[in-house]
Amino acid sequence: MSPTTTTMKWASLLAALLVASLTQTSMAVIVVCKMDAIDGKILTGACIVGTNGAVTPLVGPGAGPQLLINSTIFYTLDVNARSTLFECASEDDMLIIDSSQYSSQTLNNCDPPLLELRGCSNAIFSNNTFTSITRSTAQPACTISKYGPCVAIVGATSQVTDWSFSSLDNTFTSTGCASIAETSGRLGGALALVRSASGGAMSALIKGSTFTSTMCDFGGAIHSANVSLTLQSSTFTSTLSTNGGAVDFNAAPPTAVHTQKLLVDRSTFTSPTAVNTGGAIQVKGGVLTIKDSTFTNGAALIGQCVWVNLANCGSYTESEIVGNTWTGCAKRGSPPISWCREHDGNDWATCGMEGPVECY
Ligand SMILES: *[C@@H]1O[C@H](CO)[C@@H](O)[C@H](O)[C@H]1NC(C)=O
Ligand SMILES: *[C@@H]1O[C@H](CO)[C@@H](O)[C@H](O)[C@H]1NC(C)=O
Ligand SMILES: *[C@@H]1O[C@H](CO)[C@@H](O)[C@H](O)[C@H]1NC(C)=O
């Protein structure tokens, strides 16, 4: 897609959003970036600032934080010449990463992920593809990265109002950590979503995205920490993790942060595996809704499809589990199993939801 087409597309799509932010401040700007690191080659990338902005090539490696002119967004290319960190100094500017391609890249365990967005409110990540991306198992004497090799979205103290992140129409195939272990602690074979130090609540929408053969220590495809997460019309196939084979959802107690919700809607989980808990999804805390989704052939020590590990069982509502199909999720009647009843259109070919015995 040419820069002009990209700009025109977003100019129309985001007109409403722009108007909304422009009424607050005349300084808000949309930055659209496209990055490519294909077949093991180093990164080439460019960003357009504003609808009539010039194309700014990203130059590196190791050039340190550089300002994208006419914006408040900085970028750094890591010395590996593949990883880009974007840091947003203002809550108003909107970063869009669109139509980027990454393939056949091996990062070592200490490199940052290929893409990290820090403090970037309302960023959109669309139509990007990641294929055959891994972290090597060899661990040189350095500090291991907290994330999988692909994408990390991390909050910053500059974000005082509520903010969002959207992943639309992205494809991750064969991405993640080369081997998994709880002790390595890396988050998300495709996406790590971390509210971190931001004052505002973080929400994330993952829509129309495909995750195939992704793996990492926590969250084979997605790890989320203190985030309200919506998974919509997305497909997870053969994902692997120690906890949360496809998705590892972690919510802080509502006393510390706004109540965080996990909504799974019209999504498909096929052959997900967790070594420990939650073959497809592990839910820790928060509020849960799963509707019109399909779970098939999950595997885990405990909770072959969904493992609900709630500190307080009261926050779980059975009527929020609606219209799903569960196949090959557990042997009927084998403990620990709860909520294994036909209700609200759930097709319980086998039990799909499991939780601690006190939640029965
Ligand atoms: C963008 O940056 C250029 C170069 O610094 C400057 O001449 C121009 O006025 C800026 N445009 C806006 C809208 O700020
Ligand atoms: C992704 O690309 C397809 C094909 O060009 C297009 O139809 C779709 O609208 C794009 N999605 C987004 C979110 O831009
Ligand atoms: C989540 O929020 C809790 C409570 O504020 C905090 O202790 C924890 O460090 C946060 N986790 C992350 C990964 O930001």
Side-chain angles (χ1 to χ4, degrees):
M1 193 180 301
S2 77
T4 316
T5 323
T6 306
T7 306
M8 282 165 52
K9 182 176 81 169
W10 290 110
S12 58
L13 267 180
L14 298 169
L17 265 171
L18 238 195
V19 167
S21 55
L22 283 174
T23 54
Q24 288 165 352
T25 163
S26 57
M27 300 306 285
V29 67
I30 292 180
V31 177
V32 182
C33 301
K34 179 184 187 313
M35 257 92 54
D36 290 313
I38 298 171
D39 287 342
K41 298 197 178 74
I42 64 169
L43 182 107
T44 55
C47 298
I48 309 164
V49 181
T51 44
N52 300 310
V55 175
T56 307
L58 305 186
V59 291
Q66 298 198 45
L67 184 65
L68 288 167
I69 201 143
N70 292 341
S71 81
T72 55
I73 300 176
F74 295 82
Y75 73 90
T76 304
L77 293 190
D78 194 71
V79 287
N80 67 23
R82 291 168 172 80
S83 299
T84 316
L85 166 67
F86 288 95
E87 292 174 280
C88 300
S90 123
E91 295 175 276
D92 297 322
D93 289 354
M94 182 193 271
L95 179 60
I96 296 169
I97 311 282
D98 184 66
S99 302
S100 299
Q101 294 183 58
Y102 289 86
S103 65
S104 302
Q105 301 291 347
T106 300
L107 303 180
N108 79 41
N109 268 335
C110 308
D111 283 339
L114 289 172
L115 263 176
E116 181 173 342
L117 273 48
R118 220 179 270 170
C120 296
S121 294
N122 310 321
I124 296 175
F125 189 67
S126 54
N127 264 326
N128 303 292
T129 63
F130 287 71
T131 309
S132 300
I133 312 293
T134 191
R135 282 203 183 280
S136 70
T137 43
Q139 295 190 11
C142 54
T143 306
I144 190 167
S145 168
K146 288 183 279 191
Y147 308 114
C150 295
V151 181
I153 310 298
V154 183
T157 46
S158 56
Q159 293 166 292
V160 293
T161 56
D162 294 355
W163 58 287
S164 68
F165 167 75
S166 304
S167 161
L168 312 173
D169 298 339
N170 296 297
T171 304
F172 294 85
T173 309
S174 302
T175 69
C177 309
S179 66
I180 57 169
E182 278 193 322
T183 46
S184 298
R186 298 156 301 179
L187 310 177
L191 294 167
L193 310 169
V194 184
R195 175 174 175 263
S196 190
S198 67
M202 173 181 178
S203 59
L205 168 67
I206 313 296
K207 188 175 175 185
S209 296
T210 303
F211 305 85
T212 308
S213 302
T214 62
M215 64 188 262
C216 208
D217 305 317
F218 291 90
I222 299 170
H223 178 93
S224 91
N226 299 353
V227 176
S228 274
L229 176 62
T230 297
L231 307 176
Q232 205 173 69
S233 307
S234 290
T235 303
F236 300 81
T237 308
S238 301
T239 53
L240 172 68
S241 183
T242 66
N243 299 64
V247 177
D248 187 21
F249 176 84
N250 294 267
T255 44
V257 189
H258 296 263
T259 298
Q260 300 119 78
K261 299 172 185 169
L262 172 60
L263 165 60
V264 181
D265 178 25
R266 283 167 284 165
S267 290
T268 302
F269 299 81
T270 307
S271 303
T273 302
V275 176
N276 299 326
T277 48
I281 303 176
Q282 168 164 278
V283 184
K284 270 192 176 165
V287 174
L288 175 65
T289 301
I290 304 180
K291 58 179 190 179
D292 303 326
S293 293
T294 303
F295 295 81
T296 308
N297 295 339
L301 192 61
I302 304 175
Q304 285 174 241
C305 284
V306 179
W307 174 249
V308 184
N309 191 351
L310 297 176
N312 174 0
C313 301
S315 72
Y316 165 77
T317 312
E318 189 176 273
S319 60
E320 289 293 313
I321 310 301
V322 184
N324 305 295
T325 299
W326 313 82
T327 308
C329 288
K331 292 187 186 71
R332 194 180 282 278
S334 58
I337 288 175
S338 56
W339 312 308
C340 284
R341 298 187 289 114
E342 308 255 1
H343 73 95
D344 296 313
N346 287 293
D347 177 3
W348 301 104
T350 59
C351 182
M353 299 272 304
E354 301 179 44
V357 69
E358 58 270 27
C359 295
Y360 287 10

